[in-house]
Amino acid sequence: MKTAVHTPANRSASGYERLKIRPVWLEFRKLFMPKRVGLALLVLLLVGMWLYPFRAMYPGAAFKDWDTAVAVQMEADYGLRIDEAEFNRFKQSLAPKIAEADAYIRSTPAFARAGLDSYERYVKRDRMINGGTLPLNRIVEAGPAADLFAELQASRNWIEYYEMGTANTLGMNEAEKKRASEVESRDWVSVLPPNFVGMYSSWNLLNRLAVTAMLITAMLVMPIQIGDRRAGLGELQASSKAGITGLFRMKTAAALWAGTLAAGTLLVVLLLAYRFSGAWTLMGADINGKAGGLFWYDLSFLQYVLATYAAVFVLCWMTALLTVFFSSVAPNYVVLAGAVALTLILFYESDYLLNPLLNHMLGVGLGRSPLRTPIALGILLLASAALAYIAWKRETKRVRW
Amino acid sequence: MLIVRAASRRYGDDPALERLDLEFQNGVYGLLAPNGAGKTTLLKMLAGLLPPSEGEILYDGEPLADLDEKYRMKLGYLPQRFGYYPGDTPLKYMQYLAAIKGMNRKEASERSELLLDAVALGEAKRRKMKTFSGGMIQRVGIAQALLNDPRVLILDEPTAGLDPKERGRFRSLLTQLGRDRIVILSTHVVSDVESAANEIILLKDGRVFAKDKPEGICLMLAGRVYETKIGDAEADAFRERYAILAERGEPDGWRMRFVSEAESALPQWQAVQPTLEDVFLYVYRDAEGRAPERMLFPREPAGSGKRGESV
């Protein structure tokens, strides 16, 4: 130990003034230990089933999302809004493909044995409860005309969707009926296929994204208090300029950053998935359907994604605050992991929490006010903040570290 | 100036410290007491980590609770047990602590490197701390306490784990630091403070037993410390009668260093100058008059042919 340490008696306080961000950054960086990041990536892969709706991304025609593919082609031909004239042109454009399907049916003995000689009769028979077309469907799916028949089916879905008429307003209140009639009175229909919004806004994407982001947030944030406490840093931190309160604020800010990062990363992945699924051109299409899929606002699909994805950010912040609380009060990692896991399971498994919050957000006809989800999320966030506040009060009363 | 005014601290119903009155000005203060006497509690109170149950602690006339971070900005603290992430390097560890002490990146970096050099860890600054010895870890602890160039430096058992050479250098460092700031260190190793401390504080039963310069503390036993040689046959009786400070086995008996309350000494007793360690051992002897057990080697059984040595 050298004894000639330069220790000036007086110093400028300027070095202490520029604070705030760097300590928060250092706390944030501590959350990204290599092992933990590896585990988070593993979770991301394991829970990565949320990419399943992007069937177009998977190889093999059997997985191709023909509904979306047809809509993408329609957007290229007619634009994002389909009026009646364009709809008729679309119907007419199917004639050559139907003729091709007719030719395939006539040349296939199994269809002849079933007494079918045209695509139209095949479709009618297929709709009958005991039509006996199952063996024929298998032959089609295994044969060279599989793509043709799938495309025709998707086109017919779209035509039915267009021709379905009015939305079912049974049970709707006056405001909902008014909104339904507003959408109905349009002289155009959005090009989006019937299940496109539902694929995102119900069980498939948004919920899985939310759960994945919450899980990753919890995993990253879990050691934020208990880690330093177990490492024995508590007294040094409490006696630093930041003190217990400052440290708690920094750690909470770092936890919120981690939640923002988890939600933000998954948002980028989601948008990239849309970008490379071939459906990007549909992002500007209106989300309101003529016969269902009614929403309170006229939003493009991209606007809807961004507006509703805000819920994932809020849920991640809520998870971050809850995890800060658990990390502060849990005596050890086992209790902490158990508490976090139980909370997440409660959210994911219970039909009373995550699903009503996220499914068909801003949707009309479900008896929900458009403000219901934001208010519910706000209450959850406030409750989590209150728990974090309790954790802070406990930390300030700590006499042993 | 740091003032402790009628400060007490209780843990539940158990009193740890009772009505302490202390004043600290620039200089080195050695807090001497055996384990469990309340040293760490007092240091935590001085560091603002534990509020007194009663009384108050003032820095430059203002209560620590009111000063809050203004006081912590001027504080350097080395806890008795401090932690670290084993995978961290001392440089990274210091930079983190510098950041929460409010230092900017450049200053943190410069100061960390300077202090790690000062505690002879310059070459190990990028090594993971899990590879460090206890002494190296303790030196990192000392360095971090100096990061913000504190006006009040509180060190709880700072020399634990240091080898004799490092202890000597540490004492020199303390002397330098104490010239323009308050340095308070607790220890139960008397030699740590004997030469470096301007004042010694002895804590006993949760109260201040004495606070004085080392010479003044030694005067407590002036004229009462003796050395003499005792044969094996009388040794046990002698131990029962006098407060033994140290004893050393010799071929024909025992050399005893002891305190006598008697007004007149026996001719064979040799009066000696009391040392700080004598006072420590005397003040903290147990009810039977024995000095703290850890200060004495255990006595060998009679007839073993080998005798214990004094400290």
Side-chain angles (χ1 to χ4, degrees):
Chain A
M1 194 182 299
K2 296 171 191 171
T3 53
V5 180
H6 172 63
T7 50
N10 296 303
R11 64 187 299 129
S12 152
S14 62
Y16 298 109
E17 300 304 324
R18 284 171 290 163
L19 174 65
K20 314 295 181 200
I21 296 298
R22 183 165 157 73
V24 177
W25 163 248
L26 292 175
E27 288 295 339
F28 179 71
R29 205 175 61 179
K30 269 163 53 181
L31 302 178
F32 291 84
M33 299 280 187
K35 279 182 194 167
R36 213 170 299 138
V37 172
L39 206 55
L41 287 174
L42 187 66
V43 167
L44 189 58
L45 285 175
L46 291 176
V47 193
M49 287 298 288
W50 53 264
L51 277 172
Y52 176 71
F54 293 95
R55 281 171 288 180
M57 293 180 71
Y58 293 82
F63 295 101
K64 188 166 180 180
D65 180 0
W66 280 102
D67 288 331
T68 302
V70 166
V72 167
Q73 185 56 47
M74 287 174 76
E75 190 280 334
D77 294 342
Y78 313 114
L80 293 169
R81 296 175 174 190
I82 310 294
D83 60 23
E84 196 163 356
E86 288 164 336
F87 172 67
N88 288 328
R89 286 212 296 281
F90 171 65
K91 278 175 79 176
Q92 287 162 14
S93 73
L94 296 179
K97 288 175 183 164
I98 290 172
E100 205 179 323
D102 287 343
Y104 172 79
I105 284 170
R106 281 195 286 272
S107 65
T108 307
F111 283 88
R113 285 197 294 275
L116 295 171
D117 57 359
S118 72
Y119 178 72
E120 195 176 343
R121 291 189 65 193
Y122 163 63
V123 170
K124 276 183 185 166
R125 177 81 67 86
D126 195 38
R127 283 182 181 162
M128 292 165 69
I129 295 172
N130 295 314
T133 52
L134 199 58
L136 300 176
N137 296 345
R138 287 189 184 138
I139 290 168
V140 169
E141 282 163 15
D147 282 3
L148 175 67
F149 276 66
E151 186 182 353
L152 279 173
Q153 181 60 47
S155 302
R156 293 187 63 83
N157 289 346
W158 207 97
I159 290 165
E160 283 172 14
Y161 158 65
Y162 187 93
E163 291 176 334
M164 199 175 280
T166 57
N168 182 4
T169 56
L170 194 67
M172 283 188 179
N173 61 31
E174 286 310 308
E176 289 171 332
K177 283 178 184 167
K178 188 178 169 203
R179 176 63 185 160
S181 73
E182 264 174 33
V183 175
E184 238 174 83
S185 65
R186 292 170 173 172
D187 57 0
W188 53 271
V189 169
S190 172
V191 75
L192 282 186
N195 59 352
F196 197 79
V197 180
M199 198 80 87
Y200 164 80
S201 70
S202 68
W203 278 87
N204 289 314
L205 269 178
L206 190 56
N207 285 30
R208 292 178 193 195
L209 283 166
V211 169
T212 311
M214 288 165 78
L215 190 56
I216 290 173
T217 301
M219 284 179 60
L220 291 174
V221 177
M222 265 167 60
I224 198 155
Q225 292 282 357
I226 198 172
D228 283 357
R229 198 165 69 241
R230 287 175 66 87
L233 282 167
E235 282 188 59
L236 289 180
Q237 291 172 330
S239 62
S240 70
K241 184 195 172 199
I244 294 171
T245 299
L247 251 296
F248 196 88
R249 281 189 195 142
M250 288 170 196
K251 286 173 184 289
T252 306
L256 292 172
W257 282 14
T260 306
L261 182 75
T265 303
L266 288 188
L267 176 61
V268 170
V269 173
L270 172 72
L271 294 178
L272 285 174
Y274 272 117
R275 175 69 186 83
F276 292 105
S277 70
W280 188 252
T281 51
L282 302 179
M283 299 300 276
D286 190 275
I287 53 173
N288 291 284
K290 188 176 176 184
L294 285 174
F295 295 87
W296 284 106
Y297 307 105
D298 292 341
L299 296 172
S300 72
F301 182 70
L302 182 60
Q303 287 169 333
Y304 180 74
V305 167
L306 296 178
T308 52
Y309 195 86
V312 178
F313 279 95
V314 176
L315 286 166
C316 283
W317 295 332
M318 183 210 72
T319 307
L321 291 172
L322 277 178
T323 311
V324 167
F325 168 74
F326 287 133
S327 184
S328 180
V329 301
N332 54 54
Y333 274 108
V334 175
V335 174
L336 172 62
V340 170
L342 277 176
T343 308
L344 291 181
I345 288 169
L346 182 73
F347 264 84
Y348 187 57
E349 287 297 324
S350 169
D351 276 351
Y352 301 100
L353 283 171
L354 205 56
N355 297 343
L357 271 178
L358 299 183
N359 289 358
H360 302 292
M361 276 170 73
L362 306 178
V364 173
L366 301 166
R368 291 184 202 159
S369 154
L371 292 177
R372 184 173 130 166
T373 296
I375 289 171
L377 287 170
I379 290 169
L380 284 173
L381 195 59
L382 278 177
S384 311
L387 286 173
Y389 176 81
I390 290 168
W392 167 65
K393 291 302 275 184
R394 279 174 53 100
E395 289 292 328
T396 58
K397 288 177 184 157
R398 192 181 284 282
V399 294
R400 289 190 175 85
W401 281 268
Chain B
M1 186 192 289
L2 190 61
I3 298 174
V4 179
R5 189 180 289 162
S8 302
R9 177 71 209 186
R10 286 188 200 87
Y11 293 109
D13 291 334
D14 299 331
L17 295 171
E18 289 192 78
R19 292 194 66 78
L20 300 192
D21 286 293
L22 292 164
E23 274 189 25
F24 301 94
Q25 293 181 343
N26 286 352
V28 179
Y29 295 83
L31 188 57
L32 268 179
N35 291 332
K39 295 192 301 284
T40 296
T41 298
L42 175 58
L43 293 190
K44 281 185 180 175
M45 282 166 58
L46 293 173
L49 295 174
L50 272 182
S53 307
E54 286 165 24
E56 59 184 351
I57 301 175
L58 309 169
Y59 180 71
D60 284 349
E62 287 191 66
L64 297 193
D66 293 351
L67 285 169
D68 198 38
E69 72 168 41
K70 284 183 197 161
Y71 177 67
R72 293 197 301 270
M73 276 174 70
K74 297 178 178 178
L75 174 71
Y77 178 52
L78 172 66
Q80 190 173 10
R81 291 187 194 87
F82 67 97
Y84 56 91
Y85 285 103
D88 278 356
T89 66
L91 193 59
K92 188 178 169 190
Y93 180 68
M94 295 275 281
Q95 286 173 347
Y96 168 71
L97 292 172
I100 62 172
K101 283 172 188 256
M103 299 167 74
N104 66 42
R105 190 174 192 161
K106 182 170 176 286
E107 190 177 11
S109 198
E110 288 171 0
R111 193 87 183 131
S112 299
E113 300 228 8
L114 174 77
L115 288 166
L116 287 172
D117 281 341
V119 296
L121 287 173
E123 288 180 8
K125 65 188 173 192
R126 296 190 198 283
R127 258 173 62 190
K128 290 188 174 175
M129 286 166 74
K130 65 183 171 190
T131 65
F132 280 16
S133 67
M136 290 168 89
I137 295 291
Q138 195 67 6
R139 280 185 274 154
V140 176
I142 292 166
Q144 69 74 29
L146 295 169
L147 263 171
N148 55 334
D149 193 17
R151 302 292 86 211
V152 179
L153 182 59
I154 296 173
L155 307 164
D156 197 354
E157 308 276 3
T159 54
L162 297 186
D163 63 33
K165 189 175 157 190
E166 294 300 336
R167 290 170 105 98
R169 285 179 175 165
F170 174 68
R171 285 196 286 268
S172 302
L173 175 62
L174 280 186
T175 310
Q176 280 183 42
L177 293 168
R179 290 170 63 184
D180 58 6
R181 73 200 70 211
I182 298 167
V183 179
I184 306 166
L185 73 150
S186 81
T187 182
H188 51 238
V189 181
V190 177
S191 60
D192 283 349
V193 290
E194 198 159 28
S195 58
N198 302 92
E199 284 201 31
I200 304 287
I201 299 161
L202 299 180
L203 281 182
K204 192 175 183 189
D205 300 329
R207 295 173 187 272
V208 176
F209 181 80
K211 178 176 183 279
D212 205 341
K213 292 180 172 24
E215 309 85 73
I217 296 280
C218 292
L219 283 176
M220 287 167 63
L221 290 182
R224 292 153 63 194
V225 181
Y226 300 91
E227 279 188 9
T228 192
K229 197 166 180 181
I230 300 290
D232 277 339
E234 308 92 62
D236 282 346
F238 195 87
R239 286 184 189 111
E240 291 297 320
R241 185 166 178 190
Y242 298 104
I244 306 298
L245 302 173
E247 56 186 75
R248 186 173 64 236
E250 292 183 348
D252 52 349
W254 295 84
R255 176 155 290 277
M256 301 281 194
R257 186 181 178 97
F258 62 99
V259 176
S260 168
E261 302 290 349
E263 286 181 10
S264 55
L266 297 178
Q268 65 270 32
W269 292 1
Q270 183 190 350
V272 293
Q273 284 293 322
T275 64
L276 196 56
E277 188 162 303
D278 292 335
V279 177
F280 181 90
L281 293 171
Y282 185 70
V283 169
Y284 298 113
R285 70 193 187 284
D286 64 20
E288 294 171 353
R290 286 194 296 262
E293 196 175 345
R294 60 174 186 75
M295 306 299 287
L296 294 171
F297 285 94
R299 275 176 281 175
E300 294 293 324
S304 66
K306 202 176 171 188
R307 292 197 169 99
E309 287 184 331
S310 68
V311 288

